[in-house]
Amino acid sequence: MLADIFQQYNYAIVIILMMTGLYTVFSSRNLIKKLVGLSIFQTSVFLLYITIGKVANGQPPILEQAPGGGHGEDHAYTTKVIETVQVAAAGGGDFLTDIPYSNPLPHVLILTAIVVGVATLAIGLSLVVRIREVYQTIEEDRIDALDYAFNLEGTDTPKKAGAKA
Amino acid sequence: MDITPYMPAWLFEHGAGFLIAVPLILAAITAILPNRKLAWWSTTAMTVILVIVAVALAQYEQINGLDIYRMGGWNPPYGISLVVDALSAPILVLIAGMAVMTMLYAMPATVAEVEPKKRAPYYAAFLLCMAGLMGMVITGDAFNVFVFLEVSSISTYVLVAMGASRDRRALVAAYNYLILGSIGATFFVIGIGFLYMETGTLNMADMARILTEMDGGSRVSMVAFAFIIVGLGLKLAMFPLHTWLPGAYAYAPTQVTAFLASTATKAALYLLFRFTFFVFNPEFDYVAATLTYLIVGLGVVGMIFASAQAIFQTDIRRAMAFSSVAQVGYMLLGLGIATTASVAAGYLHLINHAVIKGGLFLAVGAIWYRYGITRSVDFRGLSKTMPWTMGAFTLCGFSLIGVPFTAGFVSKVALADAAAEQGYWWAVGFIMLSSILAIFYVGRVLMIAYFQDPPIVDGKTVAKNEAPLMMLIPMWILALTSIAIGMNIFGASDIIVGASERAAEVLLSAGG
């Protein structure tokens, strides 16, 4: 049991980070700390994906013989590679079976997810900046207290944004 | 009316890519436009073009069967494919159509609600949101779904926060939406990761094939299913995960509220339909158990609780937002019963509710635009001061309750029929109870508007002050659409019921 966990320690790290992040999001009342927690939570998913793609002793999936020369040769080379991969996939060759390669696809996916995460964090932080401009605080309890009367009444237009409290 | 013969041939070859790529490019251009009138014109023109393309693609799909566009010429399962089938085509038309309606409405509304220098970026964010929603619906690649989900979500956070020039609580609502939305999207992407571990592919059709061969797969695919349900549940405001929704809908600019209420949660629901029936399959034990116990249960509980909460809201937009959560319950009920009739009814209610709730939010927004009121007690005498707006509100409100000869009636009867057929008699009772609760929260507003006199300010009765024509047109188009569906004028009901039945057939035959 313990040995299993140590062999697959990546997953243990992922789970610990994931729970730390989620707990921070839900327990913290500070808007910035919540975003930090969210970032940790998202990062744990990036690690999960990268762990999926990694093969023990795997090489980066880069072909060793670089193609030489102009476009025509390039094309022929690509065709050859595709043929070889197809043969290998059908179980007929040893192109990909001799050397273990790591799967590059999860890494590529995670590049996209990292960009998405950065964008989310940027929007979140800029929202916090605006909230601080309007409410003069980034503590959720204080914000709730400031809006308490309006939330109770359900009225609109408590105060124009940008007006200093 | 068949418009496919009038369309150029390249459209059917590249239309699917066009739907996503062109608004994305235009969004980048719109963001830096100095002239805000030009921004409105270009965005509106874009949405009109997209409606035409979406309708043409839907009709092409209906005639020629499903249309798969290979992005960059790569064949599936390696390349990303865009799929227009009977399930996605109606939602595409819905998203594009609602975008046109709300853009018409935006011409006066945005001037009142968004600061001048922010208007061009606002339209850019709107275009991004629309492109993201279209992408979610049309793509056939599971990871691409996540990317488009985030494109639409991130622009939605911005759009909701734009309401801050009217009400500062929009900022906090947008922040809460961002936190919960990101958690939902991250859960979804964890699910996709586990599915990739299990099947080794990202193409949804290929995933479905491999999972069926594996007979549902191992524990990994069960975990994947759980993560996907929770992630999408957050996005579509499934009952206990809906807490972000009332704030986001109540404080966003009125155009954004109407657009989101009728498309954003609907696109996420579409994904739930797609994943539970197309990628996974109710024949797997864990999916069947989830549908029967979780989806049906949460749907019914949400129907009752959210309706009850809506009654206690003093703010009409919050009441309508809670009612949206309740209506999602109907769609989940249809999904959970999992027969062709019930899935068709859920899908039908999805489309009908988009039309109804879009009309309601447009009417409520117009009332705010003229009088600056959103509390239902302030609606006194609105039938005299804003008769046309109140008329549209009344028609849509009746439709929300499910009065006969309206769209809401058609889909509720279809749902109750399907539930009773499968022996879910208690669910029929809850559908009726929830409709009765809807009478309270819609009826109270109507009572105040119709049976009380207009308020007297400074010794004078408030004068008649109708909403601008550009607000009335989209509002009445939606209200009359709802009536047309209810009474089957121009065969509207046949078209929509037929489309939802075809969608249900596609879904339920997928695994078999």
Side-chain angles (χ1 to χ4, degrees):
Chain A
M1 176 66 200
L2 208 59
D4 282 351
I5 291 175
F6 277 113
Q7 270 171 8
Q8 304 181 343
Y9 65 96
N10 304 42
Y11 290 101
I13 292 172
V14 166
I15 291 168
I16 291 168
L17 277 179
M18 200 177 277
M19 292 304 119
T20 313
L22 264 184
Y23 179 76
T24 315
V25 172
F26 289 127
S27 67
S28 173
R29 302 292 286 169
N30 181 307
L31 299 186
I32 300 271
K33 283 184 187 166
K34 269 174 179 260
L35 283 176
V36 172
L38 191 68
S39 256
I40 294 174
F41 175 54
Q42 286 180 330
T43 310
S44 76
V45 180
F46 304 160
L47 290 179
L48 173 73
Y49 264 77
I50 291 167
T51 306
I52 296 171
K54 176 69 183 164
V55 175
N57 302 321
Q59 304 292 316
I62 299 167
L63 298 171
E64 294 208 342
Q65 285 98 8
H71 264 295
E73 276 176 72
D74 242 9
H75 185 71
Y77 174 77
T78 319
T79 325
K80 185 161 170 284
V81 169
I82 289 173
E83 275 168 10
T84 328
V85 170
Q86 278 167 346
V87 169
D94 52 3
F95 179 71
L96 285 176
T97 43
D98 277 359
I99 320 159
Y101 282 109
S102 286
N103 185 354
L105 186 61
H107 300 63
V108 179
L109 296 182
I110 272 331
L111 266 180
T112 318
I114 287 172
V115 173
V116 168
V118 168
T120 315
L121 190 65
I123 295 276
L125 287 173
S126 45
L127 273 176
V128 174
V129 169
R130 290 283 288 126
I131 288 174
R132 164 136 171 100
E133 275 174 16
V134 175
Y135 287 87
Q136 299 293 309
T137 179
I138 52 166
E139 296 294 328
E140 224 178 8
D141 300 327
R142 290 263 302 130
I143 293 170
D144 285 350
L146 284 171
D147 274 341
Y148 179 70
F150 305 119
N151 285 334
L152 207 62
E153 271 281 290
T155 50
D156 70 323
T157 332
K159 198 166 281 181
K160 293 277 179 185
K164 297 287 179 232
Chain B
M1 192 182 72
D2 184 12
I3 63 166
T4 45
Y6 308 105
M7 295 290 135
W10 63 265
L11 190 67
F12 301 111
E13 210 171 317
H14 298 292
F18 182 90
L19 274 179
I20 306 168
V22 181
L24 280 177
I25 295 167
L26 191 69
I29 299 169
T30 307
I32 53 169
L33 279 184
N35 184 334
R36 9 182 229 280
K37 285 224 174 87
L38 190 64
W40 183 84
W41 278 108
S42 62
T43 311
T44 310
M46 186 75 248
T47 54
V48 171
I49 293 169
L50 288 185
V51 169
I52 295 169
V53 173
V55 171
L57 279 179
Q59 286 182 342
Y60 181 79
E61 184 276 330
Q62 205 166 5
I63 297 162
N64 300 335
L66 92 171
D67 175 22
I68 297 176
Y69 180 67
R70 292 165 182 79
M71 216 55 181
W74 291 84
N75 282 327
Y78 304 108
I80 290 169
S81 54
L82 303 179
V83 185
V84 182
D85 62 3
L87 186 64
S88 57
I91 310 272
L92 284 176
V93 176
L94 178 78
I95 292 172
M98 285 309 299
V100 173
M101 293 297 139
T102 57
M103 275 313 291
L104 289 180
Y105 175 90
M107 188 156 82
T110 311
V111 173
E113 290 174 89
V114 180
E115 290 159 36
K117 68 175 187 300
K118 285 186 189 158
R119 258 171 240 158
Y122 171 87
Y123 291 127
F126 183 81
L127 276 173
L128 270 182
C129 181
M130 193 175 61
L133 291 172
M134 294 259 194
M136 269 160 82
V137 173
I138 206 173
T139 184
D141 180 281
F143 195 82
N144 228 24
V145 169
F146 163 73
V147 175
F148 282 118
L149 187 76
E150 282 295 56
V151 167
S152 74
S153 298
I154 290 174
S155 46
T156 305
Y157 310 144
V158 177
L159 287 172
V160 170
M162 290 275 192
S165 56
R166 186 164 62 94
D167 188 331
R168 66 178 183 183
R169 281 173 293 176
L171 293 172
V172 184
Y175 181 87
N176 286 335
Y177 187 13
L178 180 137
I179 295 284
L180 287 174
S182 302
I183 290 174
T186 312
F187 268 54
F188 180 74
V189 83
I190 296 172
I192 298 294
F194 279 122
L195 261 184
Y196 180 65
M197 275 166 96
E198 182 80 351
T199 61
T201 176
L202 284 169
N203 185 292
M204 290 204 235
D206 209 26
M207 268 182 185
R209 184 180 60 78
I210 293 170
L211 277 175
T212 313
E213 274 171 18
M214 290 173 162
D215 199 21
S218 60
R219 217 160 55 180
V220 177
S221 52
M222 287 165 85
V223 174
F225 185 66
F227 272 113
I228 287 173
I229 290 281
V230 175
L232 288 179
L234 265 163
K235 284 283 178 193
L236 63 84
M238 201 195 295
F239 168 63
L241 307 172
H242 69 277
T243 45
W244 55 268
L245 186 140
Y249 281 13
Y251 308 127
T254 45
Q255 180 206 4
V256 174
T257 307
F259 184 68
L260 291 185
S262 48
T263 57
T265 50
K266 304 296 177 284
L269 255 165
Y270 157 86
L271 284 180
L272 193 68
F273 276 90
R274 177 70 93 185
F275 271 93
T276 39
F277 285 98
F278 187 83
V279 176
F280 291 92
N281 196 320
E283 280 164 22
F284 309 155
D285 288 342
Y286 54 91
V287 179
T290 310
L291 287 176
T292 328
Y293 297 109
L294 192 86
I295 303 281
V296 169
L298 289 180
V300 170
V301 174
M303 256 154 65
I304 302 302
F305 269 74
S307 296
Q309 270 176 305
I311 292 177
F312 293 108
Q313 299 302 317
T314 48
D315 186 312
I316 182 73
R317 293 174 75 185
R318 282 183 77 88
M320 288 303 141
F322 274 110
S323 138
S324 278
V325 179
Q327 303 289 321
V328 166
Y330 291 98
M331 299 158 212
L332 290 178
L333 180 65
L335 180 81
I337 295 173
T339 60
T340 314
S342 80
V343 172
Y347 194 81
L348 179 65
H349 196 61
L350 192 158
I351 297 173
N352 285 350
H353 178 249
V355 171
I356 298 165
K357 202 42 80 60
L360 276 173
F361 272 120
L362 290 185
V364 170
I367 292 166
W368 177 83
Y369 177 79
R370 271 300 182 231
Y371 290 110
I373 51 178
T374 55
R375 277 193 310 175
S376 45
V377 287
D378 291 333
F379 275 38
R380 285 183 316 192
L382 272 181
S383 63
K384 296 187 185 69
T385 48
M386 297 180 83
W388 285 98
T389 309
M390 253 347 261
F393 183 91
T394 312
L395 287 182
C396 291
F398 280 165
S399 198
L400 188 68
I401 297 169
V403 175
F405 307 117
T406 59
F409 181 72
V410 174
S411 47
K412 279 186 187 177
V413 166
L415 186 60
D417 250 5
E421 213 170 79
Q422 287 300 302
Y424 285 81
W425 281 102
W426 52 273
V428 179
F430 281 117
I431 291 172
M432 288 168 77
L433 179 60
S434 171
S435 300
I436 290 169
L437 293 175
I439 295 179
F440 282 99
Y441 61 76
V442 176
R444 188 180 53 163
V445 177
L446 294 183
M447 290 283 276
I448 294 170
Y450 280 93
F451 296 114
Q452 292 190 9
D453 290 327
I456 296 169
V457 181
D458 298 333
K460 271 184 273 180
T461 310
V462 172
K464 183 174 166 179
N465 196 357
E466 191 49 81
L469 194 64
M470 288 297 271
M471 285 184 163
L472 286 175
I473 291 172
M475 201 186 296
W476 273 91
I477 290 176
L478 292 176
L480 292 177
T481 309
S482 134
I483 299 295
I485 295 169
M487 297 175 69
N488 201 6
I489 302 167
F490 305 128
S493 180
D494 294 342
I495 294 171
I496 293 191
V497 172
S500 60
E501 273 166 4
R502 289 183 60 226
E505 274 158 23
V506 165
L507 278 177
L508 289 175
S509 65

